[in-house]
Amino acid sequence: MTRSRTVGRYAPSEIEKKWRERWAADGLYRAPDDDPRPKFYYLTMLPYTSGDLHIGHWYAMAPSDVQARYWRMRGYNVLFPMGFDAFGLPAENAAIKQNIHPYKWTMDNVARMREQLKSMGAIFDWEREIISSDPDYYRWTQWWFLQFYKHGLAYRGQAPANWCPSCQTVLANEQVLPSGQCERCGTPVTKRDLEQWFFRITKYADELLDHSKIQWPERIATMQKNWIGRSEGVEIAFGLDAPGVEEKELRVFTTRPDTIHGVTFMVLAPEHPLVEKLTAADKRAEVEAYVEAARRQSEIERLSTEKEKTGVFIGAYCKNLLNGEDVPIFIADYALLWYGTGIVMGVPAHDQRDFDFATKYGLPIKTVIAPPGYQGEPLEAAYLEPGTMVNSGPFDGTPSEEGKTAVAEYIEKQGWGKRTVGYRLRDWLISRQRYWGAPIPIVYCERCGIVPVPEDKLPVLLPEDAEFRPTGESPLRLHQGFVNTTCPQCQGPARRETDTMDTFMCSNWYFMRYIDPRNSERPFSRGLARKWLPVDQYTGGAEHAVMHLLYARFFTKAARDMGVVEFDEPFLRLFNQGTIIAGKAKMSKSRGNVVAPDEYVARLGADAVRVYLMFIGPWEQGGEWDDSGLAGVSRWLNRVWNLVLSPVETASLPDAPATRELRRLMHKTIRRVTEDTERFRFNTMVAALMEYTNGLTRAKEAGSVDAGAWRDAIDTLLLLVAPSAPHLAEELWARTNHGYSIHNQSWPEWDEELAREEEITLVVQVNGKLRDRLQVPAGVTEEQAKELALASARVRTHTDGKQMLRVIYVPGRLVNVVVR
Ligand SMILES: [Zn+2]
Ligand SMILES: [Zn+2]
């Protein structure tokens, strides 16, 4: 039979829109709550409403959609929702710059981005869309705040905050670049003391270190572990006896109790409250000037390893209880009040920073851990390795690793301190002095103090008519109608909290809202939570490692302890895609190398852009955008089109070798595409599809093909292409007389037996004597055959240690190795 149909031209602009409208009208990709199929919650990070959808969004979302579609064809009820992260500084900054209201700016962007997202042809369930700046959403963000407050996980505290003088706002540590600049605008960050709201993430530090219940990339787990920074050590008191000072000790945390005998100075953070009390009269002016200077520096600057360490002796001493020595007290900006106790002991012999400091200020350097061969000579640099304790009284001669425990036990016995665990992680500062965020649902009453807004009074609406330009104060503070309220407890006059919440609060729980987005009684129903949560597969950028991905884990664990959810981890599996670059550089507006997907979609179709992005390189590594690469992919889709629709000469040849070969190619390809798709190896998955197309083209050109095998081969091609190029596959499925829709078909299965290469037996000789027989693929090359023969253990016992003269290959039959 010969198909005689006009092939027509592959015109993506004509077919893509048509199918998208049909899919939407039919609700084809809806994930019903009452579906009997097993659930699969697939989630890609929701976009920030920053303007146009750029190629980075496509790069994160299109391959995610391919995998979500794959699981759908594998019989799962796949939930793949989409929404918008809509609160936050960029909206406000852009709005200020363009002089339009953040609400309008944001909603305009949402409308545009929604259409752009739809052009991707993804299976997003738009009925579940959420917008985090929508009162129906942030009402529940506020509800969550109240739960944290109720459970003692939200508290108000005074804290030196990272302050960006340009953005006029407090920044989280994560928003300060390593250079000490504001992540958003590049201005050097300074410090400011403010009364703000914190979330007690430190309470979960230990549990957050445990990634054993989730399959995440190792590097993300490592980044989180480093960020949390757990260290075991000892908190020990140093005696204080200063006239007129109430405090009788300084408490210090150290991970090196074995070196306490080597303390020769003590450093207080310049902001430490004891500095003022302890400073001697003749040091006061110098100390005050130093404190002032330190306050102007960012934390990153203060901790920088390159920066020369400075300090000032405050004219006071404390006592090392272990050896009775008096220790001079300094202030230095590298000691931070909010790290540990804000006091650091100086052990110059065994810490390089302390060594430099002691050298600079002429302080003694006392070796207490002897390096191998130590004869009492002065150290050239700090000795950091283990050794033997010396100059340490009763501990002399103890190996330092044992000494850690021995000294710690001694200190505990004496009542001078205790073993404890220190963390680098600090509580999460969630207050923002900006307008475009969810208001914190708290009221301050002169009589009752801090009063939470009752849950049935939520949402606390963000007033639309606020003056939102940054002044250094919360814009809402200037809005009398918002600020002045009545106390929910005593009905007296009260003031509202005027800070808004960090937008990471919104993204902490958005994946929970998708499962029940229109619920007006609760953030989501328990039954639906049990059905859908947690997320099975999450995809997104690694840049969120210590922010969103850590906060969401904390949030989930806290929600579990509140009894709101019944699982421990929000995202069971995580995959981080790489970055798309252009012209060897990261895309940015200033470089002018931003790739706008819309133009390419209009010209070559969404399918071509989708497939090209997967083909560009290993997904986790990213790759370089190249127009000619995209054109190549577009040509391949054209070849698929022509291959499927152009006439083919068929006959009944079920047992012909060519038919067997065709079937083998098909089963091999199904196996490769399946395995690659599951393992996020999208580039090799596309390559397998291209090779398959080439193989089918060759078979077709070689003469008549078996009708049944050809039909199976073409159907399989379309099914395998369907997740990657959903529009093209749907069109070709319809044109090859199949019913609607290909996207409701099952994923094809391969037969291991049929996929197996035909094999031949290769005889291997050494000096003409039979030494081994190898089963090798029929298509083995000379090079492969020789390599396999020489690698055989049985052959190697006769060749090892001998001189190889030559290797003779008789194609398809024999390898003879000649040795002497
Ligand atoms: Zn800034
Ligand atoms: Zn009151």
Side-chain angles (χ1 to χ4, degrees), residues 164 166-167 171 182 184-187:
C164 173
S166 169
C167 296
L171 302 171
C182 169
R184 304 191 187 283
C185 73
T187 305

Side-chain angles (χ1 to χ4, degrees), residues 741-776:
S741 153
I742 191 170
H743 301 300
N744 282 342
Q745 305 303 310
S746 294
W747 186 252
E749 294 188 20
W750 76 89
D751 182 324
E752 204 60 64
E753 196 58 38
L754 293 174
R756 203 198 325 263
E757 293 281 355
E758 278 188 23
E759 291 186 333
I760 54 165
T761 305
L762 199 63
V763 170
V764 188
Q765 300 175 334
V766 178
N767 291 344
K769 278 196 187 128
L770 174 70
R771 293 303 181 193
D772 202 358
R773 288 173 202 273
L774 301 174
Q775 290 301 116
V776 301

Side-chain angles (χ1 to χ4, degrees), residues 36-250:
R37 290 173 296 174
K39 72 99 180 180
F40 197 111
Y41 189 172
Y42 204 108
L43 184 66
T44 188
M45 290 178 188
L46 83 177
Y48 189 76
T49 50
S50 52
D52 282 301
L53 204 68
H54 56 75
I55 204 70
H57 292 122
W58 272 72
Y59 194 57
M61 294 171 186
S64 302
D65 178 58
V66 172
Q67 218 193 36
R69 284 175 171 278
Y70 164 78
W71 290 116
R72 207 173 156 275
M73 289 177 80
R74 285 286 303 272
Y76 289 89
N77 182 25
V78 175
L79 171 59
F80 189 44
M82 186 41 69
F84 298 94
D85 188 15
F87 268 143
L89 268 182
E92 207 168 316
N93 287 344
I96 289 160
K97 219 160 122 191
Q98 299 171 24
N99 198 29
I100 49 172
H101 196 278
Y103 175 79
K104 181 168 168 28
W105 187 84
T106 299
M107 293 314 285
D108 286 352
N109 285 343
V110 165
R112 190 161 64 250
M113 291 172 81
R114 188 190 290 122
E115 287 316 301
Q116 290 171 317
L117 281 163
K118 286 183 176 174
S119 80
M120 196 181 286
I123 61 168
F124 300 133
D125 186 344
W126 287 104
E127 295 196 358
R128 296 172 180 270
E129 179 194 276
I130 54 131
I131 302 171
S132 66
S133 61
D134 191 326
D136 285 342
Y137 183 86
Y138 72 69
R139 167 185 179 186
W140 300 109
T141 307
Q142 293 173 336
W143 179 89
W144 278 112
F145 178 94
L146 295 177
Q147 310 312 307
F148 275 73
Y149 182 73
K150 211 156 66 181
H151 289 85
L153 292 169
Y155 66 94
R156 202 156 157 74
Q158 188 55 253
N162 299 306
W163 177 259
C164 173
S166 169
C167 296
Q168 298 272 301
T169 190
V170 172
L171 302 171
N173 291 321
E174 297 86 336
Q175 293 168 313
V176 181
L177 298 172
S179 59
Q181 293 165 308
C182 169
E183 180 193 65
R184 304 191 187 283
C185 73
T187 305
V189 174
T190 60
K191 288 280 171 199
R192 229 191 202 198
D193 274 334
L194 289 169
E195 176 104 331
Q196 303 181 75
W197 285 97
F198 290 86
F199 273 17
R200 240 181 259 285
I201 189 173
T202 52
K203 191 181 167 202
Y204 289 87
D206 272 322
E207 201 186 341
L208 289 169
L209 286 167
D210 177 9
H211 294 82
S212 65
K213 290 176 183 160
I214 45 182
Q215 294 169 46
W216 282 24
E218 196 49 49
R219 71 185 171 126
I220 301 290
T222 303
M223 281 164 86
Q224 293 198 340
K225 287 192 177 99
N226 291 341
W227 187 259
I228 294 165
R230 181 183 197 275
S231 53
E232 288 180 10
V234 168
E235 195 179 286
I236 181 183
F238 280 68
L240 204 57
D241 187 15
V245 177
E246 200 181 304
E247 289 83 352
K248 294 299 167 206
E249 58 178 42
L250 294 180

Side-chain angles (χ1 to χ4, degrees), residues 100 180 379-380 451 460 485 595 624 651 689 718 786 799:
I100 49 172
L379 293 170
E380 308 256 308
V451 183
V460 176
T485 183
V595 172
E624 163 121 33
L689 288 171
L718 295 180
K786 287 178 175 176
T799 58

Side-chain angles (χ1 to χ4, degrees), residues 246-462:
E246 200 181 304
E247 289 83 352
K248 294 299 167 206
E249 58 178 42
L250 294 180
R251 290 190 90 84
V252 185
F253 174 78
T254 177
T255 58
R256 292 292 305 272
D258 53 323
T259 67
I260 296 174
H261 287 86
V263 172
T264 61
F265 62 97
M266 190 63 69
V267 170
L268 265 58
E271 302 88 344
H272 199 287
L274 274 174
V275 172
E276 169 132 20
K277 296 185 191 173
L278 292 174
T279 300
D282 60 330
K283 299 283 181 187
R284 196 156 291 277
E286 198 187 347
V287 166
E288 278 171 6
Y290 188 86
V291 169
E292 198 41 53
R295 280 188 165 271
R296 283 197 297 271
Q297 289 177 20
S298 76
E299 177 175 323
I300 308 284
E301 277 173 323
R302 287 172 61 167
L303 290 174
S304 161
T305 46
E306 277 104 76
K307 182 174 165 274
E308 198 186 355
K309 300 296 174 248
T310 60
V312 175
F313 175 49
I314 64 169
Y317 293 84
C318 60
K319 192 177 285 294
N320 187 338
L321 300 176
L322 283 176
N323 57 16
E325 286 176 11
D326 283 330
V327 179
I329 302 173
F330 282 68
I331 54 171
D333 56 14
Y334 67 79
L336 300 173
L337 185 58
W338 44 99
Y339 271 170
T341 60
I343 308 175
V344 182
M345 64 183 212
V347 186
H350 306 293
D351 180 283
Q352 192 56 43
R353 182 183 64 189
D354 296 350
F355 187 94
D356 297 341
F357 192 89
T359 306
K360 182 169 175 181
Y361 293 102
L363 297 162
I365 297 172
K366 183 180 166 194
T367 304
V368 292
I369 308 295
Y374 175 70
Q375 299 288 339
E377 67 276 11
L379 293 170
E380 308 256 308
Y383 178 70
L384 309 176
E385 305 299 312
T388 307
M389 292 177 73
V390 292
N391 299 320
S392 300
F395 299 99
D396 282 356
T398 310
S400 60
E401 287 302 313
E402 282 174 37
K404 284 181 185 172
T405 313
V407 174
E409 282 171 356
Y410 180 74
I411 289 168
E412 284 182 338
K413 208 155 69 195
Q414 299 294 324
W416 295 338
K418 59 179 194 306
R419 267 174 283 198
T420 176
V421 174
Y423 297 92
R424 184 176 176 272
L425 183 72
R426 276 168 286 156
D427 280 339
W428 175 22
L429 173 60
I430 63 130
S431 299
R432 293 293 178 273
Q433 291 69 46
R434 294 294 289 241
Y435 166 70
W436 194 236
I440 294 173
I442 288 287
V443 162
Y444 302 100
C445 168
E446 269 183 33
R447 238 183 298 171
C448 315
I450 297 174
V451 183
V453 173
E455 287 177 20
D456 61 3
K457 294 285 186 305
L458 297 179
V460 176
L461 281 173
L462 187 64

Side-chain angles (χ1 to χ4, degrees), residues 639 643 692-702 710:
R639 278 206 299 281
L643 175 71
Y692 184 48
T693 318
N694 292 342
L696 295 187
T697 306
R698 274 196 305 274
K700 178 176 171 176
E701 285 165 357
W710 183 257

